[in-house]
Amino acid sequence: MKLLEQIYQNNLTLFDQTGINYQSWSHEPILDFATDERVALELGWTGTHSKSLFLKLKSGGFALYLTEKNKRLDRKPVQSVLGKRVSICSNEEMTKAIGCVPGAVCPFGLPEEIPIVVDKELLEKEEILYTPGLPEVTFGFSGKDLKPLLEHNPNTIHYI
């Protein structure tokens, strides 16, 4: 099974194991924000588009920052909770580390040693949209369900 298909299947399993409701859409591959916005209009999405920034830690290792699509990375609070300096990881290094393709980084099912930093404003959103590994699929779920979904994974979670 290809890695992206495995990430997708792991996401389906996560929703099945937690009993959390979600919606799923199939569409053309979304690998950039322009395509994301066009497909969102075509499919009538009203949820909050999430962004998963894969970060490289200056002292070695990686982290993921989960926030809204239109927010920029504010390094200070991220570095504060991680205790390390961060930079945005190269696409090649990210794909090698987690198997996701640029523009379709999945926030669930990451290797255990990768901490996840979450913008706590996502918890208040009516619906959060994200790519479950396959760039031609989008999932949506309630913001109130973000915390239980993340806590079902072994990663260390930080909220800022």
Side-chain angles (χ1 to χ4, degrees), residues 1-127:
M1 181 184 310
K2 290 188 200 175
L3 187 54
L4 293 180
E5 179 67 28
Q6 183 179 350
I7 293 169
Y8 172 74
Q9 291 299 327
N10 289 343
N11 277 259
L12 291 175
T13 300
L14 175 64
F15 281 103
D16 185 49
Q17 289 175 345
T18 60
I20 291 173
N21 292 323
Y22 70 98
Q23 288 188 281
S24 177
W25 297 269
S26 294
H27 46 71
E28 70 178 276
I30 296 176
L31 298 172
D32 57 54
F33 290 136
T35 305
D36 194 17
E37 289 178 354
R38 185 174 44 74
V39 170
L41 284 173
E42 290 171 4
L43 296 177
W45 291 339
T46 58
T48 299
H49 297 255
S50 66
K51 171 170 59 178
S52 296
L53 287 177
F54 198 65
L55 305 173
K56 185 174 186 174
L57 305 177
K58 292 292 183 186
S59 59
F62 303 99
L64 184 109
Y65 177 51
L66 181 61
T67 189
E68 293 181 46
K69 177 180 82 170
N70 294 323
K71 282 196 172 180
R72 294 183 57 94
L73 172 63
D74 182 352
R75 284 181 171 81
K76 285 187 180 186
V78 173
Q79 291 174 171
S80 177
V81 297
L82 294 174
K84 299 175 183 181
R85 294 184 59 194
V86 299
S87 62
I88 295 176
C89 193
S90 73
N91 290 340
E92 296 78 21
E93 201 168 11
M94 176 201 66
T95 299
K96 183 178 177 184
I98 60 172
C100 291
V101 295
V105 177
C106 181
F108 304 111
L110 296 170
E112 182 175 343
E113 67 275 7
I114 297 175
I116 301 171
V117 180
V118 181
D119 178 346
K120 63 184 174 189
E121 289 182 18
L122 287 174
L123 301 171
E124 305 299 321
K125 300 301 178 183
E126 187 173 324
E127 182 180 40

